[in-house]
Amino acid sequence: GKVYGGTKYVHSLVTLGTPHGNAPGPAFKGIEWCNREPLPIRGLAVAGVGSPGDSSGKLTQNAYAFCDPDGTGDGSEYDGDGLTPVFSSLFMEGDDVEKITLDGVTHYPWSDAGIWGDLFAPELAEEHRKGKPWYGDDDIVDQWVEPFLTRKK
């Protein structure tokens, strides 16, 4: 394909619970394409941990299974943020890529989604209602943005 040299317009890439690991199926073809070369710009990959695949509900287990590198796992063996397992969130590679894992952080503020959080991810919605933070909570943002902004290259 064409290359447009867009890296000169991008300073950094920050991803919060984004799957970066290769996995089978058409949904991961774009990720596979991105993984052909290391990230050419400054990057930060943030992963949440504390939502085990074997005890955080079917949405979590199935989402983790979807990210399984060989497509044979059932997702129960992984931990992550409730949607993306840690290994996939931290798969980003590059010379200037930093990786941070945040304990007890979920992918999304599930209980803020009204009835939808309870329908799609009841276990995660309940954890959020009980105070489990997500990537966008102010005190969690401070844990990933400050070190990234003040990091010396």
Side-chain angles (χ1 to χ4, degrees):
K2 291 184 178 184
V3 176
Y4 295 97
T7 58
K8 65 184 175 188
Y9 301 109
V10 179
H11 178 271
S12 302
L13 174 65
V14 176
T15 62
L16 307 173
T18 302
H20 297 291
N22 294 337
F28 286 89
K29 289 299 180 193
I31 293 170
E32 184 180 314
W33 182 84
C34 289
N35 288 338
R36 293 183 310 169
E37 297 179 16
L39 187 67
I41 59 171
R42 184 175 183 223
L44 173 65
V46 181
V49 66
S51 296
D54 64 355
S55 61
S56 298
K58 282 312 243 182
L59 176 75
T60 296
Q61 184 175 352
N62 290 337
Y64 293 176
F66 188 64
C67 293
D68 186 72
D70 62 11
T72 60
D74 70 358
S76 64
E77 66 273 29
Y78 300 122
D79 198 344
D81 64 13
L83 282 186
T84 307
V86 174
F87 77 85
S88 188
S89 293
L90 300 181
F91 199 82
M92 184 191 296
E93 296 296 331
D95 292 336
D96 196 15
V97 171
E98 183 175 355
K99 301 173 185 185
I100 297 176
T101 301
L102 302 173
D103 289 327
V105 174
T106 190
H107 191 87
Y108 180 78
W110 295 99
S111 64
D112 292 350
I115 190 171
W116 302 111
D118 289 319
L119 285 173
F120 289 109
E123 295 85 358
L124 298 174
E126 183 60 24
E127 286 180 353
H128 186 252
R129 256 191 296 286
K130 290 180 178 178
K132 188 171 192 175
W134 76 290
Y135 296 117
D137 284 340
D138 290 341
D139 56 330
I140 301 302
V141 169
D142 291 342
Q143 291 181 44
W144 59 261
V145 79
E146 288 302 321
F148 189 64
L149 293 177
T150 59
R151 177 177 61 142
K152 302 285 186 227
K153 187 171 178 184

